[in-house]
Amino acid sequence: MDLALGLPAFSQRSLASWMLELFRTQVHVTYQQPLPAHEGCLLVVSGHRSFLDAPVLLWGMGRPIRLVCHHYLGQVPLVNELVRQLGGFHMGPQGQGWSQLFARAAGFLQAGTHVAIFPEGAQLITTASRPAQVARFRRGFAHLALRSGIVGLPVVPVAIVSRREASGPLVPLRLLSLFDQSEPMFQRSGWHPYVVYEQVELRVGSPRRLVADEFERYRSGEAAAVTAALASEMEQAARQLTASGATHPW
C-alpha cells in the first residue's frame, strides 16, 4: 500500500472493479463480434458521459488498456494518482502537446498495448445529458490512429449505454479553473454534473481496420478529409450501438 500518495496501489482492473463495486454499478457487456486476439493492439473509441466510463471500459474489455485523458485530471490531487493507476496519460493544457501525445500513444500501440480515447471530449461529461445521447466525435483520435503507422490497426467503436443512473450538479465549472486555467469550458457559468451508473451496458462494436490507402492519403495532403471521414464513421457506429442498446433488453 502506497500511503505517501494517499491511495493504495491497485492493478488497473482491480481498481476498476473496486470503483464499480463502490458505486454499486452493474455492468453487462455485449460484443457485435469477437475482437481480434493475439495480433497486437486495438484503438478503442468510446462515448463519455460519466467519470465511471473509464472503469466500465477497463473492466468490460477485460484487458490492459492505456487511456487518453483530459489535462486537468493530472492536476487534481488524488485524482491524478487514480488516473495514473487506471492507465491514463494526457496532453498538455489547452490541447498543447498533441505531437508528444501522438508519439506516446503510437509507442504503446506499436508495443502491442491497447489504447482507448473518448472522442467526444468533455462535451457531455460537463453538461446535463441524456442516457442515449451521443455528441460529435472530434478528429484527434483519427490523427492519433493514422500517425501510428500501423496498417491494419483495428479501431473499435464502443457505446456505454446507461440503463439506470443517478445524476445531478456536482461542482461549479469555474471552480475547476483552479486546476486548469487554460481550459475555456472552466470559464463558463453553471455546474459540472455527476452521472453515477446503476445499471450500464458496454456495447463493443465491430473492429474497423485502417488500410494502406488511408495512410498514403493522410501523408499526401488529404489529412483533413481522411480524419473527418474516419471520425464521422466511428461516430455513426457509436450512435447505432447506443440506439440498439437503448431499445433492446439485456
Side-chain angles (χ1 to χ4, degrees):
M1 180 178 294
D2 191 349
L3 294 178
L5 291 170
L7 278 179
F10 290 93
S11 69
Q12 185 186 58
R13 198 162 191 267
S14 294
L15 179 55
S17 180
W18 175 81
M19 291 179 67
L20 296 174
E21 290 177 7
L22 178 66
F23 291 98
R24 299 183 179 180
T25 302
Q26 299 176 15
V27 182
H28 181 77
V29 184
T30 303
Y31 290 86
Q32 279 192 330
Q33 67 180 68
L35 292 179
H38 310 301
E39 61 166 276
C41 55
L42 306 172
L43 176 62
V44 179
V45 294
S46 172
H48 191 33
R49 293 181 59 242
S50 169
F51 67 95
L52 287 174
D53 291 329
V56 167
L57 182 66
L58 294 170
W59 186 89
M61 296 292 289
R63 60 192 74 195
I65 301 176
R66 299 303 302 263
L67 300 166
V68 180
C69 300
H70 194 285
H71 169 259
Y72 88 94
L73 293 175
Q75 314 307 307
V76 184
L78 292 184
V79 172
N80 58 0
E81 177 61 15
L82 185 70
V83 168
R84 187 191 68 79
Q85 290 195 37
L86 285 172
F89 65 104
H90 52 80
M91 69 187 76
Q94 209 171 14
Q96 297 170 21
W98 276 106
S99 295
Q100 294 91 333
L101 179 78
F102 292 154
R104 193 173 182 191
F108 289 136
L109 292 169
Q110 291 161 1
T113 300
H114 310 305
V115 172
I117 189 169
F118 300 110
E120 293 171 323
Q123 295 176 88
L124 296 182
I125 198 171
T126 58
T127 58
S129 60
R130 303 183 305 276
Q133 190 171 350
V134 178
R136 179 178 62 87
F137 274 26
R138 294 167 174 164
R139 293 184 293 171
F141 83 92
H143 286 284
L144 186 157
L146 289 160
R147 290 194 189 186
S148 73
I150 303 174
V151 176
L153 173 67
V155 183
V156 183
V158 167
I160 299 175
V161 184
S162 176
R163 300 288 185 172
R164 193 172 71 236
E165 65 184 38
S167 63
L170 181 61
V171 295
L173 281 168
R174 286 177 177 165
L175 183 64
L176 297 177
S177 65
L178 294 173
F179 305 108
D180 187 355
Q181 295 182 0
S182 67
E183 176 53 60
M185 68 180 173
F186 295 159
Q187 308 306 318
R188 301 197 314 246
S189 60
W191 290 71
H192 191 307
Y194 70 88
V195 174
V196 175
Y197 300 132
E198 296 171 2
Q199 289 186 336
V200 66
E201 182 175 10
L202 182 72
R203 296 183 66 84
V204 182
S206 301
R208 193 280 205 197
R209 294 182 182 274
L210 299 181
V211 298
D213 178 66
E214 290 173 303
F215 288 92
E216 179 60 32
R217 291 174 59 208
Y218 185 82
R219 292 190 296 265
S220 61
E222 297 183 57
V226 175
T227 55
L230 182 58
S232 178
E233 182 181 341
M234 289 296 101
E235 179 186 324
Q236 186 58 33
R239 290 184 184 278
Q240 292 173 350
L241 287 165
T242 302
S244 62
T247 56
H248 291 84
W250 289 359

